[in-house]
Amino acid sequence: MTLKKELYERRIKIYGVFESYFNEIMQGGGQIKPDRVARFYSESIESEFLFNSQVVNKVKELCDKGIKLSYLYNRICSFNSSQENIQPKERACISEEHLELLRWFDQQAKETRALLKDQISIQKQRF
């Protein structure tokens, strides 16, 4: 029984790591720094030993997309703070890509919660 409790506690901690990451992205309007993505990766690395490959792959995907989101946000900020001669069409494309990625993160938050809930559920006794 102690092992089951420990596994549950470790899994629920990883769930909190995912939730924190999603919340920061959504509350910040897609403003995320590469070091935050790296922190998410390091805090979730234990998932490799606690969850199935779907969750492990999800960590990698969320990191990759987080870096992309950071890059796009920084491009948008550079447009706004510089006198660069940026074509309106290019600015619009980058802004739209950023918005689409932010929507993707919103959807992933819902899907990942369901995935983790299924893996963590003590009712299914997946220990």
Side-chain angles (χ1 to χ4, degrees):
M1 186 66 152
T2 304
L3 178 59
K4 288 181 182 182
K5 182 180 179 206
E6 282 182 33
L7 285 172
Y8 174 79
E9 288 172 356
R10 291 171 86 180
R11 287 176 176 161
I12 207 73
K13 181 181 173 190
I14 298 293
Y15 176 83
V17 168
F18 276 85
E19 284 297 305
S20 175
Y21 186 62
F22 288 128
N23 287 338
E24 281 186 50
I25 289 171
M26 298 313 294
Q27 289 174 358
Q31 178 182 358
I32 188 167
K33 296 182 180 178
D35 64 325
R36 177 58 181 104
V37 177
R39 191 175 81 207
F40 167 72
Y41 179 76
S42 68
E43 289 175 349
S44 63
I45 193 72
E46 189 179 14
S47 64
E48 188 173 333
F49 304 104
L50 299 172
F51 295 100
N52 68 19
S53 62
Q54 281 182 292
V55 175
V56 175
N57 293 337
K58 185 62 67 183
V59 169
K60 181 176 180 353
E61 183 179 29
L62 291 170
C63 287
D64 291 345
K65 299 279 187 171
I67 293 296
K68 177 81 174 187
L69 189 68
S70 176
Y71 167 78
L72 292 170
Y73 185 81
N74 287 334
R75 286 294 311 266
I76 291 167
C77 288
S78 73
F79 295 159
N80 296 335
S81 67
S82 73
Q83 300 300 321
E84 254 183 89
N85 187 13
I86 305 296
Q87 296 295 325
K89 191 172 184 176
E90 181 184 1
R91 179 187 297 241
C93 285
I94 290 173
S95 294
E96 182 61 31
E97 188 177 0
H98 181 263
L99 182 58
E100 285 300 315
L101 196 50
L102 191 55
R103 288 181 184 134
W104 180 86
F105 268 100
D106 184 47
Q107 184 61 37
Q108 289 304 303
K110 295 169 190 151
E111 291 176 14
T112 302
R113 284 182 194 117
L115 176 64
L116 291 172
K117 183 179 177 183
D118 185 53
Q119 298 272 318
I120 293 171
S121 177
I122 56 176
Q123 295 172 348
K124 293 187 179 185
Q125 297 294 322
R126 291 185 176 208
F127 296 99

